[in-house]
Amino acid sequence: MTWTNNKLAVVQDAVGICAHCRRVCRYPWESKGMFIREMELASPGLARDAERHPRRYLMRCVHLNHNRADDRRENLKPLCLGCAMRFDSLTRKRPVHTRRRRYL
C-alpha cells in the first residue's frame, strides 16, 4: 500500500487513535518495540496484549467507498486493523468467502 499525502495526513490527525473503537494504535512506520515501550508507561496490561498480538494495534487508513484511487480526505478513515477488517466485511458488495465456497 502506498501512502499518499492525504492518507498520511488522516492517520497523523487521528493521533494514533482508531476512529471507531478509540483504541490506541501503532503507526505503520513506527517500530513495534517503541510502541510497546510507550504503552508500558500508560497501561502495562495493554502493553502485554500489544506484545502478544501486535497486529491488533496497527493503524490502517480505510477507503470508505472501497475505491483505492479515490484519496480524498472525506473518503479516508483511520481504523485499527480489527475495525478495518470488520468494516470491509460489512460493507463489501460481495464477500470474499463466497468465491471459495463454490469449489468445496
Side-chain angles (χ1 to χ4, degrees):
M1 171 175 27
T2 58
W3 286 84
T4 62
N5 289 338
N6 281 343
K7 286 181 185 177
L8 285 171
V10 166
V11 169
Q12 288 174 340
D13 287 348
V15 196
I17 296 176
C18 174
H20 182 72
C21 68
R22 313 309 269 166
R23 175 185 285 174
V24 176
C25 296
R26 175 175 67 90
Y27 295 118
W29 56 85
E30 185 178 16
S31 74
K32 183 177 92 171
M34 189 170 122
F35 175 71
I36 290 172
R37 268 183 256 122
E38 289 175 4
M39 290 278 287
E40 284 174 348
L41 297 174
S43 174
L46 284 178
R48 283 190 297 275
D49 189 51
E51 196 167 4
R52 276 186 254 136
H53 309 286
R55 293 195 66 180
R56 282 186 192 170
Y57 294 88
L58 185 62
M59 175 73 73
R60 297 288 310 261
C61 192
V62 175
H63 294 269
L64 297 176
N65 65 358
H66 295 284
N67 181 2
R68 291 185 182 173
D70 187 3
D71 277 345
R72 293 174 296 127
R73 288 188 78 162
E74 308 86 49
N75 185 43
L76 300 172
K77 190 171 187 178
L79 298 175
C80 66
L81 189 62
C83 290
M85 290 173 66
R86 262 182 251 113
F87 173 78
D88 282 343
S89 70
L90 293 173
T91 59
R92 188 172 291 177
K93 291 179 183 171
R94 185 176 126 192
V96 175
H97 60 81
T98 57
R99 197 174 337 130
R100 283 186 258 154
R101 283 188 180 166
R102 278 190 282 162
Y103 299 107
L104 294 177

